Amino acid sequence: MSITVSNISKSYKTVKALQDISFTVKEGELFGLIGPDGAGKTTLFRILTTLLIADEGTATVTGFEVVSEYKKIRNSVGYMPGKFSLYQDLTVEENLEFFATIFGTTIEENYGLIKDIYVQIAPFKDRRAGKLSGGMKQKLALCCALIHKPKVLFLDEPTTGVDPVSRKEFWEMLKRLQQKGITILVSTPYMDEAALCDRIALIQDGKILEIDTPNAIVKHYTKQIYNVRANNVYQLITSLNTYEHSHSVYPFGEYVHYTDKRADFNPEDLLLYLESKKLSDIEIEKTQTTIEDTFMELAK
Amino acid sequence: MSNNHVIKVEGLTKMFGDFTAVNAITFEVKKGEIFGFLGANGAGKTTAMKMLIGISTPTAGKANVAGFDVFTNAEDIKKNIGYMSQKFALYDDLTVKENITFFGGIYGLSRKEIKGKSEILIKELEMEKAANKLVGSLPLGWKQKLSFSVSLLHDPKIVFLDEPTGGVDPITRRQFWEMIYKTANRGTTVFVTTHYMDEAEYCDRVSIMVNGTIEALDTPKKLKERFKTDTMNDVFLKLARG
Amino acid sequence: MKRFIGFIKKEYYHIFRDKRSLFILFGMPIAQIMLFGFAITNEINNVDIAILDHSKDADTKEIINKVSASKYFSINQIIEKESDIEAIFKKGKVKAVLNFEKDFSKNLIKERKATIQIITDATDPNTANTISNYVNAILAQYQKELNKDVTVAYQIIPRTRMVYNPELKSVYMFVPGVMTIILMLVSAMMTSISITREKELGTMEILLVSPLKPIQVIVGKVFPYIFLSIINAVVIVILSIFIFKMPVQGSLFLLALESILFIISALALGILISTISATQQTAMMISLMGLMLPVILLSGFIFPISSMPLPLQLISNIIPAKWFIIIIKGIMLKGVGFQFIWKETLILMGMTVFFIGLSVKKYKIRLE
C-alpha cells in the first residue's frame, strides 16, 4: 500500500474539517478525492504531507508514519499545494533549478521524468514565472514537484482556475506519469474529472460519502434518471418540484435531471402533468447516471 | 435598437498598445436571456466584460448596454446593472443584514426599500436564523447565493456573473442555478462569464471567445450538434485547439 | 552545502529583482543619514552632572545648591581631581561637569571676577548645548543677586568646553541612531517579510515538504540579509566619514563585531515575527509598530532617555537598540575600548541568545 489512512479526524476551533476518514491507495494508483471547496481535501493533503498533525487516527505514506517518520516522507513525496504559485520573480528555468537543488538533485538527472511536460514550457524558460499563463504555470509547478522523482505525488486541486484545454492536457500528463509507476493522489472539485481516476473518494463536509471506482460508484445509483426539458426551465423546475411523486429534481446543463419515487414510473404520466402546467416542447428521455448525480444523492 | 435586445455589441475592439485583446466582436443579448460568455484564460473575455460594464473605454466599435452607450453613458450603465464574482464577495466582518443594508445604500435604495427588500431576500434564501450572523461564518454556498441576491437588490436590467459557481458543492450549485433561472424568468438578463464548461451547459446561448474574437455563438444544443460532441467541454476543446 | 548555495542564489534573485526592496536596502541608509543630518531640538530634564570644586567656599556651595535645586540637573557625583573628568565621561554616567577654579570666592572679592568651567559631553550635541545654556542662566541669576547693592559689579565668567564633539555636529549623534534603524529595518523587517512571502505564495509548504531541514530554510533566508546589513553598516560609516567628516575614534574591528552581534539579534527578531504572522502585511505592521517605533522613540536616539518618565525609562532597557546605540556611540564618538562597553555588549548578547532560542522554539516544522 502506498498510502493508508485510518480513522483520521481533525478540527479547527469549531469546525470539524475531517471526521473519521479511512481509505488506502495502492501503489501506482491514480486516486481522486472529489468534493467541493471546504470539504476537507486540503486538510487531508496537509496531514499526509506531514504539514499538519491529525487530532485522531493514523496514516502512512510509502510505509512511513506521518508523524514519527515525517522526515522520510518529506524525502520521497512530491507536493503541489492548491494555492501554489511558484516564485513569480524567478524564471521558469531558475524555479526548476531551485527545486532540483533543494531536493539534492539536478534537472539533468531526472529529466526523463519531466521531459514530456518540460518541452511544452521550454520555449519560455527565460520568462519569469509570474508572466506565464495559468496552464503553463501549472505545468511548471508539476515539473517542480516531480524533479526529485517522488514515489508519491500529491496534487491539491491542480486544475482549479485552469481552462478546459489545459485541464485536459494536465490529465493526460497525469496518466503518463502513472504509467511510470508514480502513485498519484489528486483532489478536484470537478465531478467530470472523477471519471479519469482509477478510484475515487467522494468527500463533503469532512466525511467520505463513498469510495470505489468511478464505474462502480455510478452503478450504486439504482434509480433511473430522466432528462427533462421544456420551453421554460424555471417553470419546469417549479412544476417538477411540486409533482407529488418526484424524488429528486436537479437542473443539469440544458436538461433537468428527474427521478421518481415510484418503481413503475411511466414517463407518459409526467408528460401529462407537465402539459397540465402549460409547458410546451416537452422532452422526457432516459439518461446515464453521472458521478455528480451520485454525489448529490449521497450528500442529500 | 429593438426593445428586445438589452446588450448590442458591434465591432467592439480593445487594444493595449500593439496588442489586440478584443478584436471586433459583435453579438446581441435578448431580454431575460441567460447568456454564457466563454473563453480560455487570456482569451479576452474579462477585457470585453469590463467594457460592457462601463469601467473600460473601448478602442473602437459600438456597444449599447441596458439602453446606454458605453462611450457616452458609462455611469448610467453602472446604475442599471448588477455584478457578482467569485472574487468580489460580501464583507466577512459584517452580518447578513448589515451587508444587505450597506449594498442597498450604495445602490441608492431608500431606508424603507432596504428594509422591505432585505426581509423578502432573507426569507427567500431561508436565512432567517443567520440574518444576524457574520457573513464570514457562513458556508461558501450560502455566501454565493447571498452575494447574487445582493447584486439584484436594485432590480438591474442585466446582472453580470463572473464564474459564479466554481468550487461550490453540486447541490448548492443547483440551487444557485434555480435562482438564476428564476431571475431570468422575471425578465432580468443574466450574463455569465466563465471558463467552466459545465456552467456553460446551463445557459440559453453561449459565445466562445478564442484569441480576442468570438469563434462560435449559439445554443449549447446546436453547438454540440455542429461539432458532433456530447459536451460543451469538447466543443470548447475543438475550438480552442483549432 | 549545494542545497544551501542554491537557496541563497534564489534569495539573491528575489532581492535584486524587486526594485522596492532594493530601494529600502540601499536608498534608505543614504536618505536617512541626509534627513537626520538636520538637528532636532530637545528639552532636558534631570540631567546627571558631576561637580569638581577646587575651592569649596560659600559662593561655590551656593551655586551648587542652586544648580541642584533646579529641575534640570541632578548632581550625580562629586569628583576631586581633573583627571577624573575624562573617566567619568567615558563611563557615560554624567552629561556635564562643573569645574570651579581654585579660590573662587577670594577671586570674586579681590578681583571682582571668578571663573567656572562647564564641560559637556557633546556626543549628544543638542543636550550639550542646552545644558550649557541652562547653567549659564543659573550663574547669571546668582550674579544678579550678588550685585544687588554693590557699586563695582562682581563677575562670574563661565567657560564652556565641549568634549568628544567640540563642533557640536548633530549628524555625529544621528549616525549611530541611523545605523541602528537601518540595521533593524534591513535585518528584522526584510527577513520577516521574505519569510512570510513564502507562506503567502504557498512555497513554504513545498519547502517544508522537502528534505531541507527547517534550520537550513531559516539560515538560507537570513544569510543574505546578514551580508546586506554588513554592507549597509559599511556604507553608513563610509558616508559619515567622507561626507560629514565624522571621525571614528575607536576600533573599527570592535565596531564591526558589535554590529554583527546587533544584526544577529535583529534577524532573530525578524524570524520571530515571521512565525507569528501569516501575511507580508502583518509582518510589516509588526515590524514597524513593534520594532521601528521603539527604536526611534525609546532607544535614546532622538529623545534622551534621562528626560523620559520613569516607566518609559524602564521599558527602554528591554530594547536592544538602546544598548547598541550606547555601544556604538562609545566606539565611534568617544573612542572607548571594550572595557567600557562590556556590560552593554553582554546585555545585547543575552538578548540575542534569548531571541534566537525563542524563534527556534517557535519555528514550526509543520503548518500549525
Side-chain angles (χ1 to χ4, degrees), chain A residues 57-77:
Chain A
T58 54
T60 65
V61 174
T62 63
F64 301 116
E65 212 277 323
V66 286
V67 179
S68 57
E69 296 174 295
Y70 75 95
K71 280 185 185 160
K72 288 181 180 149
I73 294 177
R74 289 181 182 190
N75 271 311
S76 51
V77 303

Side-chain angles (χ1 to χ4, degrees), chain B residues 110-127:
Chain B
S110 73
R111 203 171 279 212
K112 211 175 142 196
E113 281 176 303
I114 292 175
K115 200 165 175 281
K117 288 232 175 189
S118 67
E119 268 167 24
I120 299 169
L121 195 155
I122 288 171
K123 204 176 162 204
E124 275 187 352
L125 292 173
E126 296 168 15
M127 284 192 190

Side-chain angles (χ1 to χ4, degrees), chain A residues 89-90, chain C residues 8-23 25-26 186 190 194 197 220-225 228:
Chain A
D89 49 348
L90 264 58
Chain C
I8 287 173
K9 208 164 116 193
K10 183 209 82 170
E11 289 305 313
Y12 275 96
Y13 287 143
H14 286 326
I15 294 164
F16 287 100
R17 283 177 187 177
D18 180 11
K19 294 205 174 65
R20 244 186 334 172
S21 65
L22 264 187
F23 174 75
L25 277 173
F26 297 107
V186 171
M190 301 289 274
S194 97
R197 179 166 55 194
K221 290 243 69 143
V222 302
F223 187 84
Y225 290 98
L228 290 169

Side-chain angles (χ1 to χ4, degrees), chain A residues 235-250:
Chain A
Q235 279 165 27
L236 174 65
I237 293 168
T238 29
S239 307
L240 286 173
N241 272 328
T242 47
Y243 189 45
E244 55 178 328
H245 303 293
S246 88
H247 173 74
S248 70
V249 179
Y250 292 118

Side-chain angles (χ1 to χ4, degrees), chain B residues 2 8 11 24-25 30 60 86 105 129 132 156 166 170 192 196 240-242:
Chain B
S2 75
K8 201 173 157 126
I25 54 170
K30 285 190 287 261
Q86 210 181 354
K129 279 183 189 151
N132 290 314
V192 185
Y196 300 122
R241 278 184 168 175

